Amino acid sequence: MRNEYLGFLSSFPLWEEESLFEIPLFDFEGISTIPPQLDEEKFGLHENEVLGKRIESFFDFYIKKSERYRTLVKNKQVFDNTVTIGELDFILFDQKENSVLHVEFVYKFYLYNCLVKNELNRWVGPNMNDTLINKIEKLKNKQFPLLYKDETREILDNLGIRRDSIQQKIAFMGCLFVPLSMQNLKVPYLNNNCIVGFWLKSESFVKEVYGAFQFFIPIKKDWIVNPKNCNDWLTYKKARQQIEIVLSKKRSPLVWMKISKTKYQRFFIVWW
C-alpha cells in the first residue's frame, strides 16, 4: 500500500496549460507530498480493488491531508429514478479561494503511437481500447454536464450549494510511455515529467538485447509502483514465458527491468 501511494505522490498532471483542452485545471498547491504511515484501513480498500479505484482513493486521502481543501461529496451517484446516469467524483470546498469545486479525477496510462496522424490522437491505452482524446470528449460531454442535470439538483440543495456558484476542474494525472526510439526526445503539448518509460513490440524483446537483465511483470494494481521496490526478479527466459501468456490474451503487459542495483526501467510490450 505504501509503495502504491508513493507512486501516486510521484505522479504529475498530464498537461499544464488550460488552453490545451479548455478545461480548468485543479490546483495541487498546498497539499503535502510527505507520505504518512499507511495501512489498508485508511483508504478503505480491498486487495482486489481495481487500479482506478485505488488511485482515486489515494487522491481522496491526499485531499484530506490538505490544509486548503475540504471534501463535501465524493463518488456521489446520480439517479434518474432507479437508473444511474453518472457519478460526481468530488465536490470540494477551496478554503483559499472561498469557492466550491466540482473536481473530476482521472489517472491514465497512455502510449504514444507514431502511426496516428493527429498529434493528440496518438496517445492510446496499452490495449488500444482507450485514447486521451476520447476521455477528454467524455469529460466534456458527459461527466462535467452531469452537474447541470435536473437529477443532480437535489444533491446540491441538500448541501446548501447553489449550482451556479460551483467551479469545475479537472485533476488528470498519469504515466506516459513513448516508443523506444523516442526515449530521449520531448513530446509536444503534454507534461514530459509524466514520461516514465517506453514501449516495444514482442519481436523486439529479444535475448540478444535483454538477456542480461532481470524482470518482473506486475499485476495491474501495482502498475503505479516504482520498480525499485521489487524484490522478486525473474530471468529473461522466465519473464518471456509469462509475457507470452499475457500477449496471447491480447493484453499488453507492463514490464519492470532491473539493469543494476540502482537503475531500473519500465516498459510495455504491446500485442498490437
Side-chain angles (χ1 to χ4, degrees), residues 137-180:
E137 291 176 352
K138 183 179 178 182
L139 284 163
K140 287 185 171 183
N141 300 325
K142 183 177 180 181
Q143 291 175 256
F144 282 128
L146 180 65
L147 182 72
Y148 300 99
K149 295 281 188 180
D150 290 340
E151 292 82 1
T152 310
R153 185 183 299 277
E154 183 179 351
I155 296 171
L156 301 177
D157 287 346
N158 289 338
L159 291 169
I161 299 172
R162 289 186 10 256
R163 188 158 49 185
D164 59 4
S165 69
I166 300 178
Q167 300 176 38
Q168 294 186 303
K169 306 276 187 176
I170 183 67
F172 202 130
M173 306 175 76
C175 294
L176 301 178
F177 296 77
V178 297
L180 184 58

Side-chain angles (χ1 to χ4, degrees), residues 33-136:
T33 57
I34 300 174
Q37 294 298 315
L38 303 175
D39 53 55
E40 295 283 337
E41 289 75 21
K42 286 187 177 180
F43 296 102
L45 289 171
H46 301 290
E47 189 61 30
N48 60 351
E49 202 85 56
V50 297
L51 178 63
K53 282 297 180 184
R54 296 183 78 85
I55 302 179
E56 190 174 90
S57 293
F58 298 153
F59 179 73
D60 179 41
F61 185 80
Y62 182 68
I63 290 296
K64 288 176 181 176
K65 293 298 177 181
S66 165
E67 295 181 355
R68 176 172 176 177
Y69 298 104
R70 180 163 52 88
T71 303
L72 303 178
V73 169
K74 67 173 182 177
N75 302 135
K76 188 66 176 180
Q77 290 188 320
V78 180
F79 297 93
D80 180 3
N81 293 320
T82 59
V83 178
T84 304
I85 60 173
E87 181 178 276
L88 301 171
D89 282 356
F90 295 91
I91 295 181
L92 308 176
F93 181 68
D94 184 342
Q95 298 177 118
K96 177 181 177 181
E97 300 294 335
N98 193 32
S99 60
V100 177
L101 309 178
H102 166 211
V103 179
E104 287 294 313
F105 175 76
V106 183
Y107 196 107
K108 290 288 187 179
F109 291 76
Y110 287 128
L111 282 56
Y112 187 82
N113 184 356
C114 300
L115 298 179
V116 177
K117 289 184 178 181
N118 182 278
E119 180 64 39
L120 288 172
N121 279 316
R122 290 176 173 173
W123 293 105
V124 301
N127 295 308
M128 296 289 281
N129 55 10
D130 181 25
T131 71
L132 171 60
I133 290 301
N134 284 347
K135 183 58 183 178
I136 294 298

Side-chain angles (χ1 to χ4, degrees), residues 214-233:
Q214 293 179 295
F215 303 89
F216 185 76
I217 297 85
I219 59 176
K220 190 169 183 179
K221 79 175 185 66
D222 290 329
W223 280 7
I224 198 173
V225 174
N226 191 311
K228 69 180 182 181
N229 295 300
C230 179
N231 296 310
D232 188 17
W233 296 99

